[in-house]
Amino acid sequence: MCGKLVMSRLIQGDVGSGKTIVALLALLLAALNGYQGAMMAPTEVLAKQHYESIIEMLEKYQIPVKTELLTGSMTAKEKGSLSEDCCGRSADCSGNHALIQEKVVYDKLALVITDEQHRFGVGQRELLSEKGETPHVLVMSATPIPRTL
């Protein structure tokens, strides 16, 4: 991510193998350099698990990065304030399909992470990437998919 080329990587590993830690480190690299990252999961339950894991690690190591969770089940008011945070660069967002809604605009999106990427369509993954200028892309999966490899 620090080189001249845009990163495009797949992390494939079993559940519990450390994919979320690698994603967190990539998000931290973006955030601590003044950029935003977005981590998209296919379900609200998984998005919430990622969010809680990330918050726990940030608090444990006292890392001052503001992270927000955006999901489809949130009220319009909750989504509105989160969208403003993402737009205004005051938060790095994680969530589910809600991250690709038109209303969600990022100021400096430099990293897009998609977990269980095979559960999203190519168009959905592209929609999130297109919200940044040319963001680095990290896709994760616990399911080996020959076509993806």
Side-chain angles (χ1 to χ4, degrees):
M1 286 176 58
C2 296
K4 294 180 181 179
L5 300 175
V6 176
M7 176 189 74
S8 180
R9 296 284 187 261
L10 165 68
I11 299 176
Q12 191 270 311
D14 293 333
V15 173
S17 64
K19 296 183 302 288
T20 303
I21 301 248
V22 173
L24 171 62
L25 292 173
L27 287 167
L28 282 175
L29 184 60
L32 295 174
N33 282 285
Y35 295 95
Q36 289 174 291
M39 184 172 181
M40 184 169 64
T43 66
E44 189 166 326
V45 170
L46 186 55
K48 190 172 183 181
Q49 285 176 344
H50 283 314
Y51 173 74
E52 289 170 353
S53 295
I54 288 169
I55 291 297
E56 182 181 323
M57 287 184 262
L58 291 174
E59 288 174 356
K60 181 178 179 178
Y61 297 104
Q62 301 175 350
I63 301 169
V65 173
K66 184 176 179 183
T67 303
E68 298 290 351
L69 175 67
L70 180 62
T71 64
S73 70
M74 298 172 89
T75 66
K77 185 177 181 179
E78 290 171 327
K79 285 182 192 174
S81 67
L82 278 178
S83 294
E84 289 172 16
D85 281 347
C86 289
C87 292
R89 182 52 199 109
S90 63
D92 299 298
C93 295
S94 59
N96 62 1
H97 295 80
L99 295 174
I100 59 176
Q101 294 174 354
E102 277 186 50
K103 292 179 183 178
V104 180
V105 178
Y106 301 87
D107 183 38
K108 290 179 138 184
L109 184 62
L111 174 64
V112 171
I113 300 173
T114 307
D115 192 15
E116 296 299 329
Q117 60 88 27
H118 61 279
R119 295 184 59 191
F120 293 95
V122 172
Q124 290 173 314
R125 293 192 309 264
E126 283 179 3
L127 280 174
L128 185 54
S129 290
E130 289 171 356
K131 290 182 175 280
E133 195 168 311
T134 50
H136 296 285
V137 175
L138 179 64
V139 295
M140 305 187 303
S141 181
T143 309
I145 300 171
R147 221 170 61 193
T148 299
L149 295 173

